[in-house]
PDB file of all heavy atoms in Angstrom:
ATOM      1  N   ALA K 280      13.143 150.417 113.438  1.00 90.00           N
ATOM      2  CA  ALA K 280      14.151 150.937 114.311  1.00 90.00           C
ATOM      3  C   ALA K 280      13.700 151.018 115.757  1.00 90.00           C
ATOM      4  O   ALA K 280      14.455 150.800 116.699  1.00 90.00           O
ATOM      5  CB  ALA K 280      14.544 152.364 113.828  1.00 90.00           C
ATOM      6  N   ASP K 281      12.390 151.310 116.009  1.00 90.00           N
ATOM      7  CA  ASP K 281      11.912 151.461 117.381  1.00 90.00           C
ATOM      8  C   ASP K 281      11.765 150.158 118.127  1.00 90.00           C
ATOM      9  O   ASP K 281      11.364 150.146 119.288  1.00 90.00           O
ATOM     10  CB  ASP K 281      10.609 152.259 117.410  1.00 90.00           C
ATOM     11  CG  ASP K 281       9.523 151.614 116.537  1.00 90.00           C
ATOM     12  OD1 ASP K 281       9.746 150.502 116.063  1.00 90.00           O
ATOM     13  OD2 ASP K 281       8.439 152.224 116.418  1.00 90.00           O
ATOM     14  N   THR K 282      12.033 149.010 117.421  1.00 91.00           N
ATOM     15  CA  THR K 282      11.971 147.726 118.133  1.00 91.00           C
ATOM     16  C   THR K 282      13.305 147.337 118.768  1.00 91.00           C
ATOM     17  O   THR K 282      13.363 146.358 119.479  1.00 91.00           O
ATOM     18  CB  THR K 282      11.537 146.620 117.167  1.00 91.00           C
ATOM     19  OG1 THR K 282      12.535 146.479 116.133  1.00 91.00           O
ATOM     20  CG2 THR K 282      10.196 146.940 116.529  1.00 91.00           C
ATOM     21  N   ILE K 283      14.348 148.122 118.522  1.00 92.00           N
ATOM     22  CA  ILE K 283      15.653 147.850 119.077  1.00 92.00           C
ATOM     23  C   ILE K 283      15.819 148.528 120.414  1.00 92.00           C
ATOM     24  O   ILE K 283      15.683 149.737 120.552  1.00 92.00           O
ATOM     25  CB  ILE K 283      16.784 148.309 118.144  1.00 92.00           C
ATOM     26  CG1 ILE K 283      16.638 147.636 116.768  1.00 92.00           C
ATOM     27  CG2 ILE K 283      18.151 148.027 118.749  1.00 92.00           C
ATOM     28  CD1 ILE K 283      16.821 146.149 116.803  1.00 92.00           C
ATOM     29  N   ASP K 284      16.060 147.754 121.454  1.00 92.00           N
ATOM     30  CA  ASP K 284      16.257 148.321 122.783  1.00 92.00           C
ATOM     31  C   ASP K 284      17.626 148.975 122.828  1.00 92.00           C
ATOM     32  O   ASP K 284      18.653 148.323 122.575  1.00 92.00           O
ATOM     33  CB  ASP K 284      16.192 147.200 123.816  1.00 92.00           C
ATOM     34  CG  ASP K 284      16.185 147.732 125.264  1.00 92.00           C
ATOM     35  OD1 ASP K 284      16.585 148.878 125.473  1.00 92.00           O
ATOM     36  OD2 ASP K 284      15.782 146.979 126.157  1.00 92.00           O
ATOM     37  N   PRO K 285      17.723 150.278 123.144  1.00 92.00           N
ATOM     38  CA  PRO K 285      19.027 150.964 123.150  1.00 92.00           C
ATOM     39  C   PRO K 285      20.073 150.335 124.077  1.00 92.00           C
ATOM     40  O   PRO K 285      21.263 150.499 123.855  1.00 92.00           O
ATOM     41  CB  PRO K 285      18.665 152.404 123.635  1.00 92.00           C
ATOM     42  CG  PRO K 285      17.217 152.540 123.257  1.00 92.00           C
ATOM     43  CD  PRO K 285      16.606 151.199 123.453  1.00 92.00           C
ATOM     44  N   ILE K 286      19.633 149.593 125.088  1.00 93.00           N
ATOM     45  CA  ILE K 286      20.597 148.980 126.032  1.00 93.00           C
ATOM     46  C   ILE K 286      21.464 147.963 125.327  1.00 93.00           C
ATOM     47  O   ILE K 286      22.541 147.636 125.795  1.00 93.00           O
ATOM     48  CB  ILE K 286      19.844 148.339 127.214  1.00 93.00           C
ATOM     49  CG1 ILE K 286      20.817 148.116 128.387  1.00 93.00           C
ATOM     50  CG2 ILE K 286      19.204 147.009 126.797  1.00 93.00           C
ATOM     51  CD1 ILE K 286      20.142 147.684 129.664  1.00 93.00           C
ATOM     52  N   ARG K 287      21.036 147.465 124.159  1.00 93.00           N
ATOM     53  CA  ARG K 287      21.799 146.478 123.474  1.00 93.00           C
ATOM     54  C   ARG K 287      22.838 147.070 122.540  1.00 93.00           C
ATOM     55  O   ARG K 287      23.698 146.352 122.025  1.00 93.00           O
ATOM     56  CB  ARG K 287      20.826 145.587 122.651  1.00 93.00           C
ATOM     57  CG  ARG K 287      19.888 144.746 123.527  1.00 93.00           C
ATOM     58  CD  ARG K 287      18.998 143.838 122.696  1.00 93.00           C
ATOM     59  NE  ARG K 287      19.814 142.916 121.893  1.00 93.00           N
ATOM     60  CZ  ARG K 287      19.269 142.066 120.996  1.00 93.00           C
ATOM     61  NH1 ARG K 287      17.996 142.069 120.801  1.00 93.00           N
ATOM     62  NH2 ARG K 287      20.055 141.256 120.357  1.00 93.00           N
ATOM     63  N   ILE K 288      22.769 148.363 122.270  1.00 92.00           N
ATOM     64  CA  ILE K 288      23.697 148.996 121.352  1.00 92.00           C
ATOM     65  C   ILE K 288      25.004 149.320 122.033  1.00 92.00           C
ATOM     66  O   ILE K 288      25.024 149.887 123.135  1.00 92.00           O
ATOM     67  CB  ILE K 288      23.087 150.266 120.739  1.00 92.00           C
ATOM     68  CG1 ILE K 288      21.848 149.911 119.915  1.00 92.00           C
ATOM     69  CG2 ILE K 288      24.081 151.039 119.890  1.00 92.00           C
ATOM     70  CD1 ILE K 288      21.143 151.086 119.318  1.00 92.00           C
ATOM     71  N   SER K 289      26.126 148.985 121.410  1.00 89.00           N
ATOM     72  CA  SER K 289      27.449 149.193 121.985  1.00 89.00           C
ATOM     73  C   SER K 289      28.231 150.196 121.145  1.00 89.00           C
ATOM     74  O   SER K 289      27.755 151.269 120.872  1.00 89.00           O
ATOM     75  CB  SER K 289      28.184 147.874 122.132  1.00 89.00           C
ATOM     76  OG  SER K 289      29.402 148.012 122.811  1.00 89.00           O
ATOM     77  N   ASP K 290      29.436 149.806 120.649  1.00 91.00           N
ATOM     78  CA  ASP K 290      30.288 150.722 119.911  1.00 91.00           C
ATOM     79  C   ASP K 290      29.729 150.989 118.507  1.00 91.00           C
ATOM     80  O   ASP K 290      28.965 150.167 117.945  1.00 91.00           O
ATOM     81  CB  ASP K 290      31.687 150.111 119.772  1.00 91.00           C
ATOM     82  CG  ASP K 290      32.360 149.989 121.160  1.00 91.00           C
ATOM     83  OD1 ASP K 290      32.104 150.839 122.019  1.00 91.00           O
ATOM     84  OD2 ASP K 290      33.103 149.005 121.352  1.00 91.00           O
ATOM     85  N   SER K 291      30.151 152.126 117.941  1.00 94.00           N
ATOM     86  CA  SER K 291      29.635 152.553 116.625  1.00 94.00           C
ATOM     87  C   SER K 291      30.812 152.740 115.651  1.00 94.00           C
ATOM     88  O   SER K 291      31.857 153.246 116.023  1.00 94.00           O
ATOM     89  CB  SER K 291      28.874 153.853 116.762  1.00 94.00           C
ATOM     90  OG  SER K 291      27.815 153.723 117.677  1.00 94.00           O
ATOM     91  N   TYR K 292      30.560 152.351 114.365  1.00 94.00           N
ATOM     92  CA  TYR K 292      31.574 152.428 113.360  1.00 94.00           C
ATOM     93  C   TYR K 292      30.971 152.952 112.036  1.00 94.00           C
ATOM     94  O   TYR K 292      29.831 152.670 111.735  1.00 94.00           O
ATOM     95  CB  TYR K 292      32.214 151.061 113.109  1.00 94.00           C
ATOM     96  CG  TYR K 292      32.755 150.417 114.348  1.00 94.00           C
ATOM     97  CD1 TYR K 292      31.932 149.549 115.113  1.00 94.00           C
ATOM     98  CD2 TYR K 292      34.064 150.662 114.803  1.00 94.00           C
ATOM     99  CE1 TYR K 292      32.397 148.980 116.271  1.00 94.00           C
ATOM    100  CE2 TYR K 292      34.534 150.060 115.945  1.00 94.00           C
ATOM    101  CZ  TYR K 292      33.730 149.224 116.697  1.00 94.00           C
ATOM    102  OH  TYR K 292      34.175 148.667 117.844  1.00 94.00           O
ATOM    103  N   TYR K 293      31.775 153.701 111.287  1.00 95.00           N
ATOM    104  CA  TYR K 293      31.364 154.116 109.954  1.00 95.00           C
ATOM    105  C   TYR K 293      31.837 153.095 108.951  1.00 95.00           C
ATOM    106  O   TYR K 293      32.983 152.595 109.030  1.00 95.00           O
ATOM    107  CB  TYR K 293      31.972 155.492 109.622  1.00 95.00           C
ATOM    108  CG  TYR K 293      31.314 156.650 110.360  1.00 95.00           C
ATOM    109  CD1 TYR K 293      32.100 157.700 110.827  1.00 95.00           C
ATOM    110  CD2 TYR K 293      29.941 156.705 110.512  1.00 95.00           C
ATOM    111  CE1 TYR K 293      31.507 158.788 111.455  1.00 95.00           C
ATOM    112  CE2 TYR K 293      29.348 157.772 111.171  1.00 95.00           C
ATOM    113  CZ  TYR K 293      30.144 158.801 111.652  1.00 95.00           C
ATOM    114  OH  TYR K 293      29.556 159.854 112.287  1.00 95.00           O
ATOM    115  N   LEU K 294      31.002 152.815 107.960  1.00 94.00           N
ATOM    116  CA  LEU K 294      31.364 151.903 106.880  1.00 94.00           C
ATOM    117  C   LEU K 294      31.605 152.737 105.618  1.00 94.00           C
ATOM    118  O   LEU K 294      30.695 153.453 105.162  1.00 94.00           O
ATOM    119  CB  LEU K 294      30.277 150.878 106.645  1.00 94.00           C
ATOM    120  CG  LEU K 294      29.902 149.992 107.825  1.00 94.00           C
ATOM    121  CD1 LEU K 294      28.885 148.937 107.383  1.00 94.00           C
ATOM    122  CD2 LEU K 294      31.136 149.304 108.396  1.00 94.00           C
ATOM    123  N   ALA K 295      32.827 152.660 105.091  1.00 93.00           N
ATOM    124  CA  ALA K 295      33.153 153.404 103.898  1.00 93.00           C
ATOM    125  C   ALA K 295      33.228 152.407 102.706  1.00 93.00           C
ATOM    126  O   ALA K 295      33.679 151.279 102.863  1.00 93.00           O
ATOM    127  CB  ALA K 295      34.503 154.110 104.032  1.00 93.00           C
ATOM    128  N   ALA K 296      32.772 152.828 101.543  1.00 93.00           N
ATOM    129  CA  ALA K 296      32.857 151.980 100.349  1.00 93.00           C
ATOM    130  C   ALA K 296      34.343 151.764 100.005  1.00 93.00           C
ATOM    131  O   ALA K 296      35.118 152.712  99.958  1.00 93.00           O
ATOM    132  CB  ALA K 296      32.148 152.664  99.173  1.00 93.00           C
ATOM    133  N   ASP K 297      34.718 150.524  99.822  1.00 92.00           N
ATOM    134  CA  ASP K 297      36.101 150.165  99.527  1.00 92.00           C
ATOM    135  C   ASP K 297      36.311 150.027  98.026  1.00 92.00           C
ATOM    136  O   ASP K 297      36.177 148.956  97.450  1.00 92.00           O
ATOM    137  CB  ASP K 297      36.455 148.843 100.241  1.00 92.00           C
ATOM    138  CG  ASP K 297      37.948 148.556 100.217  1.00 92.00           C
ATOM    139  OD1 ASP K 297      38.695 149.441  99.723  1.00 92.00           O
ATOM    140  OD2 ASP K 297      38.368 147.508 100.672  1.00 92.00           O
ATOM    141  N   GLY K 298      36.612 151.151  97.403  1.00 89.00           N
ATOM    142  CA  GLY K 298      36.878 151.112  95.936  1.00 89.00           C
ATOM    143  C   GLY K 298      35.645 151.493  95.160  1.00 89.00           C
ATOM    144  O   GLY K 298      34.509 151.505  95.644  1.00 89.00           O
ATOM    145  N   GLN K 299      35.888 151.758  93.866  1.00 91.00           N
ATOM    146  CA  GLN K 299      34.810 152.224  92.967  1.00 91.00           C
ATOM    147  C   GLN K 299      33.793 151.127  92.738  1.00 91.00           C
ATOM    148  O   GLN K 299      32.599 151.426  92.536  1.00 91.00           O
ATOM    149  CB  GLN K 299      35.437 152.644  91.646  1.00 91.00           C
ATOM    150  CG  GLN K 299      34.438 153.294  90.689  1.00 91.00           C
ATOM    151  CD  GLN K 299      33.758 154.545  91.283  1.00 91.00           C
ATOM    152  OE1 GLN K 299      34.398 155.312  92.008  1.00 91.00           O
ATOM    153  NE2 GLN K 299      32.482 154.731  90.975  1.00 91.00           N
ATOM    154  N   VAL K 300      34.214 149.855  92.828  1.00 91.00           N
ATOM    155  CA  VAL K 300      33.276 148.756  92.578  1.00 91.00           C
ATOM    156  C   VAL K 300      32.217 148.698  93.645  1.00 91.00           C
ATOM    157  O   VAL K 300      31.115 148.169  93.413  1.00 91.00           O
ATOM    158  CB  VAL K 300      34.049 147.423  92.506  1.00 91.00           C
ATOM    159  CG1 VAL K 300      34.593 147.045  93.883  1.00 91.00           C
ATOM    160  CG2 VAL K 300      33.139 146.299  91.973  1.00 91.00           C
ATOM    161  N   ALA K 301      32.488 149.276  94.815  1.00 93.00           N
ATOM    162  CA  ALA K 301      31.531 149.243  95.907  1.00 93.00           C
ATOM    163  C   ALA K 301      30.544 150.427  95.883  1.00 93.00           C
ATOM    164  O   ALA K 301      29.570 150.436  96.653  1.00 93.00           O
ATOM    165  CB  ALA K 301      32.261 149.229  97.247  1.00 93.00           C
ATOM    166  N   ALA K 302      30.789 151.422  95.019  1.00 93.00           N
ATOM    167  CA  ALA K 302      30.012 152.650  95.051  1.00 93.00           C
ATOM    168  C   ALA K 302      28.530 152.402  94.825  1.00 93.00           C
ATOM    169  O   ALA K 302      27.664 152.888  95.575  1.00 93.00           O
ATOM    170  CB  ALA K 302      30.567 153.644  94.036  1.00 93.00           C
TER     171      ALA K 302
END
Side-chain angles (χ1 to χ4, degrees):
D281 57 6
T282 63
I283 302 295
D284 189 341
I286 199 172
R287 295 182 59 184
I288 296 178
S289 186
D290 296 326
S291 303
Y292 305 91
Y293 286 141
L294 301 184
D297 190 5
Q299 187 59 36
V300 69

